[in-house]
């Protein structure tokens, strides 16, 4: 049983963890110097030193027009913030964003403690709010929010076309309040409706345990400022207990701080071998090579579509420079590095901007492609099942996404149906009756609210049982097989 500790420093989390988690650099001295020393507009030119006089005059003219001619009064600060947000949006990069003072304040507060929200990281893609991953055991994860889900609305307010900070403001809220989400999911015809209760998300980033045959398991939920220290502590404990092989689980880990993932990877990679490469705008590449001792025991890394950014750096580094086996499904595909600048703007607001690409040790850029596993293992279909909408009781001969989710749940729990395409067949009716009887409910074959509640509770219990985690069990068996061959 894991003991949940308070994580010191979480780099991403406004209620829904803002997409700017990315792969964060601690700082970028050159850019910081440029921003902290921006000259006055009269002295600036158009060669990267701020605004030229012509550019400043153009922006000033528009501001004058708005203040003098617009049909109603406006808040000057809102117009300025909108202009800066528009500059960032014009880059066409979902990971470069501007946060106004209040949003930046919540972002900064989240660095040193827990936060309140639903616990999912999101980004903006083509004007839509897209989920990167949900934090394990968060309200979002418990409700079944999945990577690549598109959030259409929250509490009836549409999110389409909003800037990221505007969308996050609508999603965030106090503990105990409800967030009614409407979600579009690939392969599901109708929007999925979920009702979540916002909660305190106290993010411990590292969990470790020893499995049979002295194979260790360390789960990393995100790469925050103290994650490397916590990882080193747990790794030492396992090694002191006689660990012979290790599985590192970064499934649904959205990433984090670049120096942290380098620190975690280095002990496994022999001195002189590459951990990661970073490529700047001119195409110049800089390699970070290990100074570590390496390890002589077998490694496997668990990945999936929610493994992004720093998770992908770790997976690529351990695969290509430490001989680790990647198990699971293809990763998210986030291959850029961000830096955040807060002090430079002078008013509490914050800009986070992409400054470079990162490449795997062999020079591969995984952006929008992801990393393929060495051993592909699909997660059970029930992992993708949406909660039942409960708009009406489900019964024989109905067709729809709710019925398909029902069939996935029944099959996972061992009540087999003859199909899983969303048609409520006679076999599905019989499976429902069998489940109802086992659950102590009237065996009517009709899925009412009581049956839906019992089904979903059963599925949560099933998912939490490691014996049903096909990806984890394959990773463990892969390490054990390597140990046998080495003995």
């Amino acid at each position: 049983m894991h003991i949940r500790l308070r994580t010191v420093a979480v780099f991403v989390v406004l209620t829904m963890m803002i997409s700017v988690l990315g792969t964060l650099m601690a700082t970028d001295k050159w850019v910081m110097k440029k921003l902290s020393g921006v000259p006055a507009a009269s002295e600036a030119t158009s060669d990267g030193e701020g605004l030229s006089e012509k550019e400043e005059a153009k922006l000033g003219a528009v501001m004058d027009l708005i203040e003098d001619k617009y049909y109603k009064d406006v808040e000057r600060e809102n117009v300025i913030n909108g202009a800066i947000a528009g500059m960032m949006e014009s880059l066409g990069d979902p990971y470069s964003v501007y946060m106004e003072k209040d949003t930046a304040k919540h972002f900064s507060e989240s660095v040193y403690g827990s936060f309140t929200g639903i616990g999912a990281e999101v980004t903006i893609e083509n004007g839509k709010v897209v989920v990167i991953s949900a934090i394990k055991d968060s309200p979002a994860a418990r409700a079944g929010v999945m990577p690549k889900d598109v959030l259409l609305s929250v509490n009836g307010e549409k999110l389409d076309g909003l800037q990221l900070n505007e969308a996050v403001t609508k999603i965030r809220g106090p503990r105990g309040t409800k967030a009614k989400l409407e979600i579009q999911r690939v392969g599901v015809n109708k929007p999925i409706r979920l009702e979540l209760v916002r909660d305190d998300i106290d993010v411990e980033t590292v969990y470790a345990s020893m499995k049979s045959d002295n194979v260790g398991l360390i789960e990393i939920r995100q790469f925050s400022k103290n994650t490397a220290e916590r990882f080193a502590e747990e790794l030492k404990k396992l090694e002191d207990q006689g660990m012979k092989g290790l599985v590192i689980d970064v499934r649904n880990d959205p990433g984090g701080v670049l120096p942290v993932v380098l620190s975690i990877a280095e002990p496994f990679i022999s001195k002189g071998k590459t951990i990661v490469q970073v490529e700047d705008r001119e195409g110049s590449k800089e390699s970070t090579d290990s100074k570590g001792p390496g390890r002589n025991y077998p490694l496997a890394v668990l990945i999936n579509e929610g493994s992004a950014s720093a998770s992908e750096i770790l997976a690529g580094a351990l695969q290509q420079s430490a001989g680790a086996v990647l198990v699971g499904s293809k990763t998210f595909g986030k291959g850029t590095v961000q830096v955040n600048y807060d002090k430079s703007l002078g008013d509490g607001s914050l800009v986070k901007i992409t400054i470079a690409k990162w490449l795997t040790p062999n020079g591969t850029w995984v952006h929008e492609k992801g990393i393929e596993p060495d051993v592909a293992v699909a997660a059970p279909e029930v992992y993708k099942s949406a909660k039942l909408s409960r708009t009406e009781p489900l019964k024989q001969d109905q067709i729809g996404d709710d019925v398909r989710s029902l069939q996935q749940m029944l099959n996972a729990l061992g009540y087999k149906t003859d199909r899983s395409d969303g048609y409520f067949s006679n076999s599905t009716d019989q499976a429902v009756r069998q489940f109802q009887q086992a659950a102590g409910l009237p065996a009517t074959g009709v899925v009412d609210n009581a049956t839906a509640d019992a089904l979903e509770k059963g599925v949560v219990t099933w998912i939490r049982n490691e014996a049903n985690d096909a990806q984890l069990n394959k990773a463990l068996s892969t390490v054990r097989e390597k140990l046998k061959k080495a003995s």
Side-chain angles (χ1 to χ4, degrees):
M1 185 175 186
H2 298 306
I3 299 174
R4 188 172 289 274
L5 303 174
R6 179 174 297 276
T7 297
V8 181
V10 180
F11 254 69
V12 274
V13 271
L14 290 180
T15 302
M16 295 205 58
M17 297 162 59
I18 290 185
S19 72
V20 294
L21 175 64
T23 300
L24 296 176
M25 297 281 285
T27 184
D28 181 270
K29 293 180 180 178
W30 182 85
V31 182
M32 287 295 286
K33 182 177 180 181
K34 300 289 273 187
L35 283 179
S36 61
V38 173
S42 61
E43 301 169 341
T45 66
S46 59
D47 61 357
E49 296 292 334
L51 297 174
S52 68
E53 291 184 6
K54 184 177 180 179
E55 290 165 337
E56 184 188 45
K58 183 177 181 178
L59 291 174
V62 174
M63 176 61 77
D64 287 343
L65 286 171
I66 291 172
E67 291 190 313
D68 295 342
K69 304 298 184 182
Y70 190 60
Y71 80 103
K72 61 180 180 180
D73 290 337
V74 297
E75 289 288 339
R76 185 182 179 89
E77 185 178 1
N78 291 343
V79 177
I80 297 297
N81 286 333
I84 299 172
M87 291 170 68
M88 301 304 295
E89 188 176 350
S90 73
L91 300 176
D93 175 18
Y95 306 106
S96 294
V97 297
Y98 169 67
M99 285 181 265
E100 297 174 17
K101 182 178 178 179
D102 289 345
T103 304
K105 180 176 182 290
H106 288 289
F107 176 86
S108 299
E109 287 172 349
S110 72
V111 170
Y112 294 104
S114 63
F115 64 99
T116 300
I118 69 170
E121 186 193 358
V122 297
T123 186
I124 296 289
E125 293 183 7
N126 300 318
K128 298 183 182 299
V129 180
V130 180
V131 174
I132 293 179
S133 67
I135 298 174
K136 190 170 182 178
D137 293 333
S138 68
R142 291 193 295 269
V145 175
M146 301 290 296
K148 305 292 187 181
D149 279 350
V150 176
L151 303 186
L152 302 177
S153 68
V154 56
N155 294 334
E157 296 188 67
K158 293 188 180 300
L159 302 177
D160 190 30
L162 296 181
Q163 296 172 7
L164 186 61
N165 62 329
E166 294 173 325
V168 169
T169 298
K170 292 184 181 298
I171 295 165
R172 58 183 286 260
R175 179 178 183 271
T177 58
K178 292 181 179 180
K180 296 180 180 179
L181 302 180
E182 188 176 39
I183 293 171
Q184 184 65 60
R185 180 172 296 168
V186 174
V188 179
N189 296 323
K190 295 181 179 180
I192 297 166
R193 291 175 174 82
L194 301 176
E195 184 174 296
L196 289 68
V197 178
R198 300 179 179 99
D199 202 355
D200 293 329
I201 313 295
D202 193 10
V203 185
E204 167 59 70
T205 61
V206 178
Y207 295 89
S209 59
M210 186 75 84
K211 304 304 179 184
S212 60
D213 299 322
N214 284 350
V215 176
L217 170 65
I218 301 181
E219 178 188 351
I220 306 174
R221 296 189 179 180
Q222 67 187 48
F223 294 86
S224 298
K225 283 187 68 176
N226 76 326
T227 301
E229 179 183 345
R230 288 282 301 114
F231 183 91
E233 291 171 355
E234 297 300 335
L235 179 63
K236 185 178 186 303
K237 288 179 185 177
L238 291 173
E239 290 180 337
D240 289 347
Q241 294 173 40
M243 183 178 70
K244 297 179 179 178
L246 177 64
V247 174
I248 301 175
D249 186 354
V250 292
R251 291 175 297 176
N252 297 316
D253 181 333
V257 186
L258 181 57
V260 169
V261 70
L262 300 182
S263 297
I264 290 173
E266 190 165 52
F268 300 100
I269 298 174
S270 299
K271 183 177 180 180
K273 290 188 176 181
T274 299
I275 301 175
V276 70
Q277 300 182 60
V278 175
E279 180 179 332
D280 66 18
R281 63 194 293 175
E282 277 78 39
S284 298
K285 298 176 185 176
E286 182 177 341
S287 294
T288 298
D289 296 335
S290 177
K291 298 177 182 178
R295 292 294 194 271
N296 59 6
Y297 48 72
L299 287 170
V301 181
L302 270 168
I303 56 175
N304 69 0
E305 61 274 12
S307 304
S309 196
S311 296
E312 295 172 290
I313 291 176
L314 183 66
L318 296 185
Q319 179 196 45
Q320 296 176 12
S321 294
V325 178
L326 305 186
V327 180
S329 52
K330 186 172 73 170
T331 61
F332 184 86
K334 164 85 171 53
T336 54
V337 179
Q338 284 72 44
V339 174
N340 63 292
Y341 303 102
D342 49 1
K343 296 179 182 178
S344 305
L345 303 184
D347 65 350
S349 59
L350 180 151
V351 164
K352 190 169 291 291
I353 191 167
T354 299
I355 64 162
K357 301 176 181 178
W358 68 262
L359 313 174
T360 64
N362 68 9
T364 301
W365 192 35
V366 306
H367 199 61
E368 297 181 351
K369 300 174 184 175
I371 300 175
E372 294 283 354
D374 299 305
V375 180
V377 183
E381 283 296 315
V382 73
Y383 279 30
K384 301 178 183 179
S385 297
K387 294 183 71 174
L388 301 179
S389 68
R390 294 169 171 76
T391 54
E392 61 178 334
L394 303 178
K395 53 188 176 183
Q396 194 165 345
D397 291 330
Q398 285 182 332
I399 299 174
D401 294 326
D402 267 349
V403 176
R404 179 164 54 185
S405 292
L406 167 67
Q407 291 166 330
Q408 291 169 345
M409 293 178 188
L410 289 168
N411 285 318
L413 296 177
Y415 301 93
K416 300 302 180 183
T417 64
D418 61 341
R419 56 201 302 164
S420 56
D421 59 357
Y423 171 70
F424 201 127
S425 61
N426 180 66
S427 174
T428 303
D429 177 273
Q430 293 303 312
V432 169
R433 292 174 188 270
Q434 291 169 11
F435 171 79
Q436 289 171 325
Q437 187 172 18
L441 298 168
T444 62
V446 176
V447 181
D448 54 11
N449 286 342
T451 302
D453 289 343
L455 266 171
E456 290 173 356
K457 184 177 180 180
V459 167
V460 169
T461 301
W462 187 91
I463 290 174
R464 288 180 175 173
N465 185 347
E466 285 188 353
N468 299 319
D469 190 338
Q471 293 176 328
L472 171 60
N473 289 315
K474 183 60 178 179
L476 292 170
S477 67
T478 298
V479 171
R480 291 179 184 127
E481 287 169 10
K482 285 199 166 192
L483 287 171
K484 287 181 181 179
K485 290 179 181 178
S487 61

